[in-house]
Amino acid sequence: MNNNLDMIVLDGQITVMVDDDYLWAKVIVTKPNGGRAVTYDDVMRELKNNGVTAHINEQAVRESVDYAGEHLSGVVVAEAVPPANGLDGEITYLFETKSEFRPTIDEETGIVNFRELGRVRNIMKGALIANIKPNTMGTPGNDIRGKDIKCTNGTPARYTVGTGTVLSNDGSKIFAATDGNLRWDKDKFVVDNVVTISGNVDASVGNIDFVGDVIIKGGISDGFRVKGKKVDIKQNVNNATVEASEAIIISGGAVYAKLNCENNIKMSFSENSVIYCGGDLETKALINCEVLCEGEVKVVSGKGVIIGGECIAYHNITANQVGSESYTKTIINLGNTAVLMKSHKELKDNFKTLSENYNKLKTLYEKLNDLRNVQELTDQQEHARKQAFKFIMNERNTMTEMTAKIDQNERILAKSRLLQLIVHKRCFPGVTLKLYNTVYENQVENGASVYYLDSDNEVKFRAGTR
């Protein structure tokens, strides 16, 4: 029987298996039995007959032929190029989106500060808020027939550009468009240039330190602090601190408060407070306050009284009433020149000494330069020449700055001689007036009057306010 089979002549056979989606193709090649062997071209032709025309691995085809009968499960001779799906876009925020108002803890002492709750998150214009990674487009694949295989494009990052923020030109970043308070609002960051507190600044709010404007619809409670550009308080400031770079406005009063403003302050009244005002100060009453105002002080609305404490101003002070019927000690200091005059004298003395040294060394330098033109200087002379030149160059700018400062001081001092205390109704005994370098004790009750410095450096007053 076996002998009969051996006498049957069979050619080599080719079997092609193709994936239903044309992602791959396999070939099984059998050995001939006395007949014709399968060739490379035979396999290629059979693949074509089965629709396989692309991405054929010729080396694998040759292997199937060369090792016919050995790969019973077939040789993969063609594989599709799979599609490359696009990547989704992503947005990465550089700040926490969740705001938690909680007390701070000192790292060294472990003490919990319940006044610092972190309600305001300051951010400066141009600060980076988020990085945006763009989505990418997919690349189609190609099956073993040479036909495209669909791909999926990445989904763009989902985000919203909130108020007070700006998207970069290339769409890759979000920046703060203004100085302000960074906060998360539903699905986006916003930057508010105004922080509004609906009630009081107290333990439920904590201290506020903000780069923009602050509006407080209530007041500020004992021991708390508010700092901002413009601070507008609708009620009272009680034993609290307020700092502002542009303005402080208090619709109520300030009692046992500390107020510090680089510009103007306007409030209803103040009692037992310490006040620094870089601009003008306007109020209805100053009672036992320590005031330093670099502008003008006006206490003319309402009762318009200055009673007790000390009021220093670099411009005129105008009030309805200064002092009280009980002769409360009240100090009015116009110009505050005592310290300035002392520092001005020291500055002029220092300038004189420096100027004398400068002129001596300049003369020495010029003589040594002239001598060097006719003969070689000794080492000692050359050292002295270089040291003199170094001093001249180093101190030239210093002398220019000192001259400018002296001129500025003299303008301030000259202007301070012209300052006036203007009283619209009453000025009582107990009032001490310091004007320029003169101290005047008011001994009598005067009505509407103007206090001024005459040409003899004596404080005088005249009736009326004109």
Side-chain angles (χ1 to χ4, degrees), residues 93-107:
Y93 292 107
L94 278 65
F95 298 88
E96 293 291 335
T97 58
K98 188 176 182 181
S99 298
E100 293 184 8
F101 303 142
R102 54 188 177 186
T104 58
I105 302 175
D106 187 283
E107 293 182 359

Side-chain angles (χ1 to χ4, degrees), residues 238-366:
N238 296 310
N239 193 25
T241 300
V242 182
E243 298 178 42
S245 58
E246 289 190 359
I248 294 176
I249 301 171
I250 306 174
S251 299
V255 181
Y256 288 101
K258 291 182 179 179
L259 308 181
N260 189 317
C261 183
E262 296 175 22
N263 213 311
N264 300 334
I265 297 177
K266 185 175 182 179
M267 58 187 165
S268 180
F269 68 92
S270 184
E271 295 180 9
N272 299 295
S273 296
V274 178
I275 302 168
Y276 167 76
C277 177
D280 295 335
L281 171 62
E282 185 176 341
T283 183
K284 296 177 182 178
L286 292 171
I287 310 297
N288 293 322
C289 293
E290 300 297 323
V291 177
L292 172 57
C293 178
E294 295 191 13
E296 186 175 2
V297 176
K298 292 183 178 180
V299 193
V300 292
S301 59
K303 292 184 177 180
V305 297
I306 302 176
I307 300 174
E310 181 174 10
C311 186
I312 302 171
Y314 292 169
H315 292 263
N316 289 345
I317 296 176
T318 305
N320 289 342
Q321 174 184 316
V322 180
S324 68
E325 293 178 352
S326 60
Y327 298 176
T328 304
K329 183 174 178 56
T330 305
I331 300 174
I332 301 296
N333 191 335
L334 290 169
N336 195 31
T337 57
V339 174
L340 178 59
M341 291 178 71
K342 180 181 178 183
S343 65
H344 183 59
K345 182 179 183 305
E346 291 174 353
L347 181 63
K348 290 180 70 175
D349 290 343
N350 290 338
F351 179 80
K352 181 180 178 182
T353 302
L354 181 61
S355 181
E356 289 173 353
N357 291 335
Y358 179 88
N359 290 329
K360 288 178 183 178
L361 289 173
K362 185 179 179 182
T363 300
L364 174 63
Y365 174 74
E366 291 172 349

Side-chain angles (χ1 to χ4, degrees), residues 94-139:
L94 278 65
F95 298 88
E96 293 291 335
T97 58
K98 188 176 182 181
S99 298
E100 293 184 8
F101 303 142
R102 54 188 177 186
T104 58
I105 302 175
D106 187 283
E107 293 182 359
E108 293 185 2
T109 64
I111 296 174
V112 180
N113 188 345
F114 288 96
R115 298 185 189 275
E116 300 292 344
L117 301 182
R119 176 171 288 275
V120 174
R121 180 161 49 180
N122 285 310
I123 192 169
M124 307 306 291
K125 180 179 180 179
L128 181 62
I129 295 174
N131 286 310
I132 301 169
K133 181 179 178 182
N135 64 305
T136 60
M137 306 303 289
T139 302

Side-chain angles (χ1 to χ4, degrees), residues 5 25 27 62-63 74 112 124 126 145 241 256-257 267 388 413 453:
L5 289 173
V27 169
R62 287 189 170 85
E63 183 180 338
V112 180
M124 307 306 291
R145 298 171 299 177
T241 300
Y256 288 101
M267 58 187 165
L413 289 169
L453 192 70

